[in-house]
Amino acid sequence: NNLAAQMAVSVGRPTLVYLPFRAMAETTRMMFAYGQVEYADLAVWGLEFFHRKQRGDFPWDKTPVLEFGGESSSSSNGGDSSTPMSSNREGVRVVAQSGAVARYAAREAGCLPSD
């Protein structure tokens, strides 16, 4: 899969960025916990949220997002235009939309069916 292959070359563990409560990111947290996938869980609020939003860290101005710090700053998403992925800062890849983030987490946890 293009997204999984692209993320596999990322350096470090992914960072789940969301507000300081459950809701749209909880499925992702559960999938990562079930699969024992290492990740960072970053809660942003107030001025930090405002500054990140102004900087363009959140595609479509929405959270949650899953950030991958990597050496590649390419804006290509492997030719899959349906993947809500963007590059917002040098060397950082962002997967947006809670459903896409949860599907990635399910794949990493071994919970996504192959068909």
Side-chain angles (χ1 to χ4, degrees):
N1 189 314
N2 288 338
L3 176 60
Q6 223 173 356
M7 294 301 119
V9 300
S10 294
V11 175
R13 62 185 179 177
T15 300
L16 179 64
V17 181
Y18 192 53
L19 305 169
F21 47 84
R22 295 187 218 184
M24 301 304 288
E26 198 62 11
T27 302
T28 298
R29 289 183 183 114
M30 287 182 190
M31 288 291 126
F32 281 154
Y34 176 80
Q36 299 177 347
V37 176
E38 287 190 36
Y39 75 103
D41 195 347
L42 178 63
V44 295
W45 192 250
L47 284 176
E48 183 178 357
F49 178 81
F50 173 78
H51 291 303
R52 284 175 162 260
K53 188 174 176 182
Q54 293 299 312
R55 188 171 65 190
D57 287 5
F58 309 127
W60 304 288
D61 292 332
K62 305 274 183 181
T63 59
V65 298
L66 195 59
E67 294 183 343
F68 296 86
E71 296 173 7
S72 172
S73 61
S74 168
S75 62
S76 169
N77 64 6
D80 182 0
S81 61
S82 66
T83 302
M85 185 179 357
S86 67
S87 295
N88 62 338
R89 297 183 309 268
E90 185 70 27
V92 176
R93 300 295 304 223
V94 176
V95 176
Q97 299 290 312
S98 59
V101 172
R103 280 188 299 278
Y104 174 82
R107 182 179 302 116
E108 290 298 298
C111 296
L112 193 67
S114 60
D115 59 350

